Amino acid sequence: MTRLASSLDRLGTETAFEVLARAKALEAQGRQVIHLEIGEPDFATPGHIVEAGMRALRDGHTHYCPAPGLPELREVCAEHLSRTRGISVEPSSVLVAPGAKPFLYFGVLATCEAGDEVIYPNPGFPIYESVIRYAGATPVPLPITEDRGFAFSAADLAERLTPRTRMVILNSPANPTGGILDPQLTAEIAAVLQGHDCWILTDEVYSEMLYDAAHASVAAHGLLERTILLDGFSKTFAMTGWRLGYAALPRPLIEPITRLIINSVSCTAPAVQLAGVAALTGPRVEVDAMLRQFRIRRDAVVAGLNAIPGITCVIPRGAFYVFPNITGTGLSARDLADRLLEEAGVAVLAGTAFGAHGEGYLRLSYANSLENIEQALAAIEGLLSGVAVA
Ligand code: PLP
């Protein structure tokens, strides 16, 4: 009998891709849509990285390669993580995959099962909750609240730890809020985790997208031997479509996660990996210019949102998202997001796309031109002026 596996009922999705599809359908009908929904830099991948990828293809790097990753990429990733996090990572502890995302999936699948609890940020990247459920484990949300600067306190974490806590997932800078765990808070979180024997997964894909703050990693506090530290090329180098990410893994996880890679994707395209070597070792001029643009846009979008009755928006400290509070509009996050898309032609995500604790918020990605951002702000204001603001 043909039927689907019931485990699929536990597998969630990423609403950004659904909203993108709805927006594209509207565009196909001739409607204009400004895209503030999808989490990818709108800049081109820097030229020297593209060149390195093309050179690698021309040089014949077009076949299978070692499942854990090319030695030269593992080496520069280890060097990069060691230098930027102030830790000592061996190349043999680094694995490479098509994106950082597989490490969330494989990391949870390799360590968690029914009966285990996993603490994760909520609102947070939707894949966390999805994968925890898929593994059969119990998701334990850690509320990320505006009154704590879109972070949480070490006490908030401590009170959720139980003997069943198998893993704690951290994400800084954070999607969807742009909040960060600053060095002081990171040290406090690490102190709490020192006293609890569980895995830690720290998702640091926005580690280089910080405004006025230094990146802090919990891995730097003596927790490396049970921490999965993941980073990637998608955000920093505007390489979302190349699919390239890496992680430093605790020794006991290297072989099982390599096995998961072999069972699923075999390996990561070698030419893409060589482009990654060029990214981590090459000039930073374009990356720096991109960050300067993001800062200008962030300031414009925050000022514009705060000028709209019913909306307030704190200044995010990292990533390229704003997470405005829309409770003053009297609308739910989902209703407002739907109406913005259908009536104002602005694609955004409801805060609830990132978990129940996202109610009352929208997520806007400012990875779009200043001109489009200004147009979107005017359209949001236009729509809300027709709504009775509480
Ligand atoms: N982690 C977070 C917090 C993200 O926002 C994203 C992408 O949106 C990822 C991981 C996945 O990144 P990658 O493209 O490297 O798979």
Side-chain angles (χ1 to χ4, degrees), residues 99-101 104 125 128 171 175 203 205-206 234-235 243 321:
K101 223 180 199 177
L104 298 175
F125 190 45
Y128 305 146
N171 173 218
N175 178 9
D203 178 348
V205 297
Y206 298 101
S234 287
K235 316 291 175 175
R243 309 309 302 130
Y321 309 111

Side-chain angles (χ1 to χ4, degrees), residues 30 92 113 129 133 256 273 312 324 332 363 371 388:
S92 58
E113 59 198 351
E129 187 174 330
R133 286 190 193 284
Q273 295 191 53
T312 59
S332 73
R363 189 196 79 171
E371 198 189 346

Side-chain angles (χ1 to χ4, degrees), residues 52-65 70 269-271 274:
M54 299 206 328
R55 197 181 323 118
L57 286 172
R58 280 193 298 263
D59 288 350
H61 293 278
T62 52
H63 299 275
Y64 292 134
C65 66
L70 294 179
L274 291 170

